[in-house]
């Protein structure tokens, strides 16, 4: 029994954090939101070089994986820095492609960051289809290589560009590992959401320490403190669910982590908005990049109700 | 990169689990004991503690010389999982075991440990706490009960209140002002143990919300306490009391096993009632919350075992479990429908108990202040 990350895992998180801090992700996110993907693609390659996508790709296809705990560590950092793009979808794609021909064809590119993938969800939309080169569409017949994306439908998170995928295309495999892909996608989403929540908490703590009203920092008021304490508690109790789920990879554990990490991130977003006041309600202030993502992730790859069903199904 | 996190227990710990499970299966009373907040129930719970202690299951984490098994923190967590899963009774000795004993291990003398701990382990002596006063609740350091120096000891005078278990307990521990001239409120306090039946002590039981005498007022009029019942140095009481609030005590006040068992019972109730949709999300929350608390505790135990001080993070823990426990019982009562108002169910007993959780052991408002100031670094301000 040892339920603590080791020094190597902490060092991995620290190195990603340092790299992403230096990358000025807010500017990259804003370009991405306008459909300018140049900065995002450059960042994507650096994320890949750090080994992130390799964590889900087996060694024989050019990766290091599977390493779900390290993947969770990495996605917390990606969320903290609001890194744009179909990150979770690329993880899901790697699992969907499984083994054999399609894996051999695409996984090395995914691991290396040369290929950005997206996957259509049951809603029919795929995230950032306009930026991805590999468009996967699960259908009742199997996994199709879609001919390409349709027009962008805006998301509440401007950095998430939802695109329908054109029907038809090559049938890559009749029996993709859909359930397993969903588990990995939910794990990555949970980690990303936790990172989003942690970033919102950090930024809000910094704000209330320096924002002065009535002659004192607003962070000295108990009404403010208690909201932030609750956000901290919710995030810190989601964290062990995330890493416990990464270790077991049981669908119910992952669903629980997804539900609670997204709930904690969203609650933190509401607190962050309230405590920033009007400035937090503006698109131009960078807080908005995390605020909107917290809402979007809540329903991505499984609503709270769907995740709850997975928990109950395993418990009953 | 290899994952060195590991959520499986060592084989020896699993053997320990099996041993505990077998013992509990053979000994746990088949029908629930009467409420421990009644004279009859208190006696029944005391007898149960003696039965636990006879086979060294009452304080597994203590050294063998005091009645324990020298089991580490992880094994204690395993024991607790088995204990509550078996539906075993509430622990009438909890106050002494989780609040006073850690203080004696850290600050007591060898003589005090040898004298106090074994009868605590067997519940021959049940302990009550004597912290709060009518004018000193969350602001505990403003307490005014006095300890006045006398020949060979101290004379305690004043009024303590909300003293859990004191209606039926034998002895109590708490803080008293021994140096009224000290420059700051938390200075000049002394940590003492005293006999609830000593001359000068009047115990007035207080009915909690359901009328059961779960706590009491203690009127103290020059109650003699010998020097041997002072813990640590006179005047250092605040530091001594606080040094154990954040450490192991933060982990051991409420074990995850307790909530895992409660969540399993809630799930059974929900299924038995036809899985109503109105409670679905709350049942999910209860299931996930118990797991979150278990994993949070494993992580905290891991840090503790590697030498880290836990300190203020135990405040997050306290807010979480107290609100969790209350929400779980509220859900259960809702599931019971109109029967939910009946006071004679286990759920009702648990509900009334859980209502106090956000108040005792440091109110959740104080805990949130601690989280905000000491974990998030927010400035101190007026409460």
């Amino acid at each position: 029994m040892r339920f603590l990350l080791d020094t190597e895992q902490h060092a991995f998180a620290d190195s990603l954090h340092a790299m992403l801090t230096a990358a000025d992700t807010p500017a990259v996110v804003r370009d991405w939101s306008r459909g300018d993907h140049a900065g995002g693609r450059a960042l994507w390659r650096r994320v890949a070089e750090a080994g992130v996508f390799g964590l889900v790709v087996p060694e024989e296809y050019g990766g290091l994986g599977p390493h779900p705990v390290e993947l969770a560590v990495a996605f917390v950092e990606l969320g903290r820095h609001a890194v744009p793009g179909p990150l979770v979808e690329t993880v899901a794609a790697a699992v969907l492609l499984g083994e054999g021909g399609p894996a051999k064809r695409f996984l090395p590119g995914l691991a290396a960051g040369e290929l950005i993938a997206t996957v259509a969800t049951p809603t029919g939309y795929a995230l950032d289809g306009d930026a991805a080169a590999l468009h996967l569409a699960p259908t009742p017949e199997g996994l199709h290589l879609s001919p390409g994306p349709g027009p962008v439908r805006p998301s509440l998170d401007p950095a998430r560009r939802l695109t329908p995928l054109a029907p038809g295309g090559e049938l890559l495999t009749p029996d993709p590992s859909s359930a397993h892909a969903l588990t990995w996608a939910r794990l990555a989403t949970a980690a990303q959401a936790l990172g989003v929540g942690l970033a919102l908490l950090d930024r809000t703590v910094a704000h209330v320490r320096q924002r002065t009203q009535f002659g004192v920092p607003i962070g000295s008021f108990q009404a403010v403190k208690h909201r932030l304490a609750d956000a901290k508690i919710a995030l810190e109790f989601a964290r062990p669910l995330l890493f416990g789920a990464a270790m077991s990879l049981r669908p119910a554990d992952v669903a629980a982590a997804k539900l609670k990490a997204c709930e904690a991130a969203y609650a933190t977003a509401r607190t962050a908005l309230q405590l920033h006041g009007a400035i937090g309600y503006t698109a131009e202030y960078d807080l908005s990049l995390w605020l909107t993502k917290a809402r979007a992730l809540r329903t991505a790859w499984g609503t709270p109700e769907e995740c709850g069903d997975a928990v109950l199904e395993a418990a009953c | 990169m290899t994952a060195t996190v590991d959520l499986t227990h060592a084989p020896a710990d699993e053997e320990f689990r099996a041993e505990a499970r077998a013992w509990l299966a053979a000994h746990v009373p088949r029908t629930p004991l009467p409420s421990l907040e009644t004279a009859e129930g208190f006696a029944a719970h005391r007898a149960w503690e003696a039965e636990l202690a006879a086979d060294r299951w009452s304080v597994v984490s203590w050294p063998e010389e005091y009645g324990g098994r020298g089991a580490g923190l992880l094994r204690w967590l395993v024991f607790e999982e088995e204990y509550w899963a078996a539906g075993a009774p509430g622990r009438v000795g909890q106050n002494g075991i989780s609040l006073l004993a850690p203080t004696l291990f850290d600050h007591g003398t060898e003589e005090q440990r040898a004298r106090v701990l074994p009868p605590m382990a067997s519940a021959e002596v049940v302990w009550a706490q004597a912290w709060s006063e009518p004018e000193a609740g969350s602001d505990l350091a403003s307490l005014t009960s006095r300890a006045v120096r006398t020949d060979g000891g101290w004379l305690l005078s004043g009024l303590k209140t909300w003293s859990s278990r004191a209606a039926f307990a034998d002895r109590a521990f708490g803080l008293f002002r021994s140096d009224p001239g000290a420059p700051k409120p938390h200075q000049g306090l002394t940590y003492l143990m005293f006999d609830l039946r000593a001359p000068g002590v009047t115990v007035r039981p207080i009915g909690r919300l359901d009328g059961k005498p779960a706590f009491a007022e203690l009127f103290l009029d020059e109650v003699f306490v010998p020097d041997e019942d002072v813990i640590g140095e006179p005047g250092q009481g605040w530091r001594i009391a606080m040094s154990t609030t954040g450490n192991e005590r933060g982990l051991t006040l409420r074990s995850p096993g307790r909530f895992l068992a409660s969540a399993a019972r809630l799930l059974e109730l929900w299924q038995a009632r036809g899985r109503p949709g109105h409670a679905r999300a709350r049942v999910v929350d209860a299931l996930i919350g118990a797991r979150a608390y278990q994993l949070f505790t494993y992580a905290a135990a891991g840090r503790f075992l590697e030498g880290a001080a836990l300190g203020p993070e135990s405040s997050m823990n306290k807010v979480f479990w107290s609100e969790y426990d209350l929400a779980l019982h509220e859900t259960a009562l809702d599931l019971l429908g109109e029967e939910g108002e009946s006071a004679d169910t286990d759920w009702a007993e648990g509900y009334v108990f859980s209502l106090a959780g956000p108040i005792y052991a440091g109110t959740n408002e104080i805990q949130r202040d601690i989280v905000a100031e000491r974990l998030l670094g927010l400035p101190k301000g007026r409460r």
Side-chain angles (χ1 to χ4, degrees):
Chain A
M1 166 66 65
R2 188 180 184 284
F3 189 53
L4 294 174
L5 295 178
D6 63 24
T7 47
E8 207 176 334
Q9 289 161 336
H10 282 296
F12 180 47
D14 291 346
S15 70
L16 281 172
H17 178 58
M19 184 266 277
L20 294 169
T21 303
D24 187 18
T25 52
V28 174
V29 177
R30 289 180 186 284
D31 286 349
W32 188 277
S33 304
R34 287 189 297 267
D36 173 357
H37 299 129
R41 287 182 197 284
L43 186 58
W44 188 279
R45 280 189 293 274
R46 298 185 64 185
V47 169
E49 280 161 18
V52 172
F53 300 116
L55 295 169
V56 68
V57 174
E59 274 182 46
E60 60 177 309
Y61 303 115
L64 307 155
H67 285 301
V69 174
E70 283 76 6
L71 186 92
V73 167
F75 269 73
V76 170
E77 296 308 317
L78 298 176
R80 269 176 86 182
H81 291 275
V83 174
L87 297 155
V88 171
E89 291 66 26
T90 292
V91 167
V95 180
L96 273 176
L97 290 164
E99 294 175 356
K104 207 168 169 183
R105 188 166 146 201
F106 296 116
L107 290 193
L110 292 183
E114 290 154 6
L115 192 56
I116 297 178
T118 191
V119 180
T121 64
T123 61
Y125 288 92
L127 182 63
D128 295 317
D130 58 336
L134 178 63
H135 303 91
L136 301 181
T139 70
E141 292 78 49
L143 184 66
H144 284 271
L145 183 59
S146 162
V152 171
R153 180 182 182 188
S155 158
L156 280 174
D157 174 6
R160 289 170 60 89
R161 296 161 64 80
L162 306 172
T163 51
L165 295 187
E170 179 187 346
L171 180 66
L172 290 172
T173 167
D175 55 348
S177 332
S178 301
H180 203 40
L182 179 63
T183 297
W184 278 80
R186 283 182 176 171
L187 179 72
T189 307
Q192 191 183 11
L194 179 64
V196 166
L198 292 170
L200 285 162
L201 180 65
D202 283 351
R203 296 180 81 92
T204 309
V205 165
H207 173 75
V208 303
R209 282 163 58 103
Q210 61 82 26
R211 167 74 173 166
T212 297
Q213 289 287 274
F214 307 103
V216 291
I218 63 171
S220 65
F221 301 142
Q222 211 171 24
V224 169
K225 281 180 180 168
H226 287 193
R227 285 197 73 151
L228 288 169
D230 283 337
K232 171 78 174 167
I233 292 167
L235 292 166
E236 292 305 329
F237 277 87
R239 189 194 299 269
L241 286 172
L242 170 67
F243 288 106
M247 288 165 67
S248 79
L249 277 188
R250 280 195 297 260
D253 291 350
V254 173
K258 201 284 175 183
L259 197 168
K260 284 294 157 183
C262 289
E263 189 176 278
Y266 184 66
T268 305
R270 290 276 291 99
T271 290
L273 173 56
Q274 185 66 25
L275 298 186
H276 274 81
I279 187 72
Y281 189 62
T282 63
E284 69 183 48
Y285 195 63
D286 282 345
L287 189 76
S288 65
L289 308 182
W290 286 270
L291 287 178
T292 52
K293 200 174 298 297
R295 177 62 239 182
L297 293 180
R298 215 171 130 82
T299 44
W301 293 103
T303 62
E305 195 177 7
E306 287 163 338
C307 291
D309 285 347
V311 171
L312 280 174
E313 203 176 302
C316 288
Chain B
M1 275 176 286
T2 52
T4 56
V5 279
D6 178 10
L7 273 178
T8 56
H9 289 279
D13 293 346
E14 288 299 338
E15 279 170 34
F16 173 82
R17 181 194 295 279
E19 191 189 344
R21 182 178 296 180
W23 188 91
L24 289 161
H27 290 82
V28 168
R30 291 186 199 287
T31 50
L33 303 181
S35 166
L36 72 77
E37 315 295 4
T38 62
E40 180 202 8
F42 198 90
H45 281 78
R46 198 197 280 264
W48 164 249
E49 291 289 319
E51 193 175 342
L52 275 173
D55 288 332
R56 291 184 175 263
W57 290 111
S58 71
V59 286
V60 295
S61 61
W62 291 9
E64 290 182 21
E65 59 188 302
Y66 304 125
R69 292 175 173 242
L73 194 50
L74 291 177
R75 233 176 245 197
W76 177 79
L77 290 167
V78 165
F79 172 76
E80 287 282 309
E81 286 173 13
E82 293 303 320
Y83 186 87
W84 298 106
R91 302 294 306 272
V92 72
Q94 165 107 30
N95 269 322
I97 291 168
S98 71
L99 301 177
L100 177 58
T103 305
L104 287 173
F105 283 123
D106 287 353
H107 302 281
T109 64
E110 191 45 56
E111 183 277 326
Q112 287 172 331
R113 286 191 282 269
R115 175 164 52 89
V116 172
L117 294 178
M120 182 193 292
S122 64
E124 193 185 323
V125 174
V126 175
W127 290 81
Q129 44 81 8
W131 304 116
S132 295
E133 297 178 3
E135 300 303 325
S138 287
D139 184 12
L140 183 62
S142 68
L143 63 89
T144 56
S145 289
R146 303 268 302 265
V148 177
R149 194 75 186 117
T150 188
D151 226 16
W154 300 81
L155 292 173
L156 308 184
S157 296
L159 174 54
K160 292 287 184 181
T161 192
W162 318 132
S163 179
S164 300
R165 304 290 103 75
F168 308 110
D170 307 293
R171 288 173 67 77
F173 56 93
L175 290 177
F176 292 84
R177 191 161 299 285
S178 52
D179 178 6
K184 288 185 175 170
H186 59 271
Q187 295 171 352
L189 299 175
T190 296
Y191 197 133
L192 297 117
M193 304 180 277
F194 59 98
D195 196 324
L196 285 170
R197 295 186 189 87
V201 179
T202 306
V203 177
R204 187 184 78 83
I206 305 172
R208 68 175 181 187
L209 213 46
D210 63 359
K212 291 173 186 147
F215 42 22
E217 279 181 304
L218 309 177
F219 297 86
L220 308 172
D221 182 14
E222 300 202 327
V223 178
F224 177 73
V225 174
D227 283 331
E228 64 186 31
D229 280 344
V230 173
I231 302 176
E233 290 294 311
Q236 296 297 310
W238 184 261
R239 189 182 59 80
I240 293 165
M242 293 303 127
S243 72
T244 42
T245 57
N247 253 324
E248 208 173 337
R249 181 180 124 187
L251 274 181
T252 58
L253 198 57
R254 286 290 178 277
S255 72
R258 187 178 180 123
F259 301 122
L260 289 165
S262 297
R265 286 177 59 221
L266 182 71
L267 179 64
E268 278 172 28
L269 178 65
W270 182 66
Q271 289 178 290
R273 295 275 158 166
R275 306 171 63 131
H278 68 81
R280 187 180 188 86
R282 290 189 287 161
V283 171
V284 168
D285 269 355
L287 291 169
I288 299 177
R291 178 66 171 165
Y293 187 63
Q294 180 189 37
L295 292 171
F296 183 91
T297 304
Y298 280 147
R303 283 192 291 277
F304 184 72
L305 292 171
E306 292 186 2
L310 295 180
E313 74 175 62
S314 63
S315 292
M316 296 199 289
N317 184 318
K318 199 263 164 170
V319 172
F320 185 88
W321 67 249
S322 57
E323 296 197 341
Y324 172 87
D325 198 26
L326 184 49
L328 184 146
H329 282 89
E330 286 170 340
T331 305
L333 296 193
D334 286 348
L335 280 168
L336 290 172
E338 291 194 2
E339 200 194 337
E341 76 165 284
S342 307
D344 57 0
T345 65
D346 275 359
W347 286 115
E349 179 79 18
Y351 167 70
V352 174
F353 184 67
S354 73
L355 278 174
I359 302 168
Y360 62 67
T363 64
N364 285 8
E365 285 70 27
I366 292 293
Q367 307 297 348
R368 287 186 171 95
D369 282 351
I370 294 172
V371 171
E373 289 169 13
R374 294 175 62 191
L375 293 176
L376 297 177
L378 297 182
K380 278 189 179 293
R382 283 173 59 192
R383 306 261 181 243

